[in-house]
Amino acid sequence: MPIDTTQFYDANAAVYAEDGSVNPRLGAFLGRVRPGGLVLELGTGSGRDARAMIEAGFRVEATDGSAGLARIASDYLGQAVKVMRFEELAAEAAYDGVYASAALLHVQSAFLPEMVGRVHRALLPGGVAWASFKAGQGEGLDGLGRYYNYPEPTGLLALWRAAAPWAELSLEGWTGTGYDERPTEWIAITAVR
């Protein structure tokens, strides 16, 4: 995550953590993960989705690049949230699921193929990854100064396909909002190792 983006989340951690609710698409992801499996969450934010996964019987290793959000989420979850930048993911065949709701959209476009490869390597065979992005064309900063890679759907699917030998890939899209409350076109990848 670019340093300015991390600084935004650190500076606004308390307000950001109060916003939002559990991702309505979380259940579909969990339905594909081995029951009781270990899930790596990249970008836990407030910890709301991590708590829902734990309550559903999954083991969760929650991470965030923002130390401020990690502290808040650790308190909320009652377990440590690791401060970890995306490029620090080095696990191999360790997780039944990797969940990145509105997280990998902050990865620099040039690094995204390598990051997808890291997600693939982190999964056990048959493991499932889910990652959502704000759709668009080209990278840039939003009105709050946060970096986004803004992929277009066909290109995002092709990038994931080229980055790792996935057994299955699918794409979904919907219209919603984000923290800035602006109308947003969202896309998400579901990938099976």
Side-chain angles (χ1 to χ4, degrees):
M1 178 180 328
I3 191 70
D4 292 343
T5 302
T6 303
Q7 289 172 347
F8 169 85
Y9 288 112
D10 279 337
N12 297 282
V15 174
Y16 184 83
E18 290 175 5
D19 188 61
S21 57
V22 173
N23 178 359
R25 287 164 176 77
L26 178 61
F29 163 74
L30 293 178
R32 310 261 334 244
V33 177
R34 181 180 65 83
L38 178 60
V39 176
L40 171 66
E41 183 179 21
L42 298 171
T44 194
S46 68
R48 281 187 180 88
D49 289 353
R51 178 181 266 184
M53 288 187 263
I54 292 165
E55 289 173 351
F58 293 88
R59 294 171 293 129
V60 179
E61 189 175 306
T63 69
D64 204 284
S66 161
L69 284 172
R71 276 190 301 276
I72 291 168
S74 293
D75 290 344
Y76 180 70
L77 294 172
Q79 72 179 45
V81 170
K82 182 178 180 181
V83 178
M84 185 181 86
R85 296 176 62 80
F86 300 128
E87 62 269 19
E88 294 176 282
L89 177 59
E92 294 188 23
Y95 301 103
D96 298 290
V98 174
Y99 177 75
S101 179
L104 297 182
L105 45 64
H106 294 306
V107 172
Q108 296 270 337
S109 292
F111 180 66
L112 192 54
E114 181 180 335
M115 188 63 213
V116 171
R118 287 173 184 248
V119 168
H120 182 271
R121 282 190 301 278
L123 286 166
L124 290 160
V128 181
W130 189 88
S132 60
F133 299 82
K134 289 185 176 185
Q137 292 187 354
E139 58 193 317
L141 302 179
D142 72 354
L144 300 172
R146 300 173 298 172
Y147 170 87
Y148 285 89
N149 48 37
Y150 295 120
E152 56 87 21
T154 305
L156 182 63
L157 195 58
L159 184 153
W160 278 67
R161 187 171 286 122
W166 298 101
E168 180 187 329
L169 276 174
S170 61
L171 184 80
E172 63 180 307
W174 67 95
T175 301
T177 61
Y179 175 73
D180 60 7
E181 298 187 7
R182 294 182 181 205
T184 302
E185 293 301 316
W186 289 93
I187 50 177
I189 291 275
T190 299
V192 180
R193 177 170 179 177

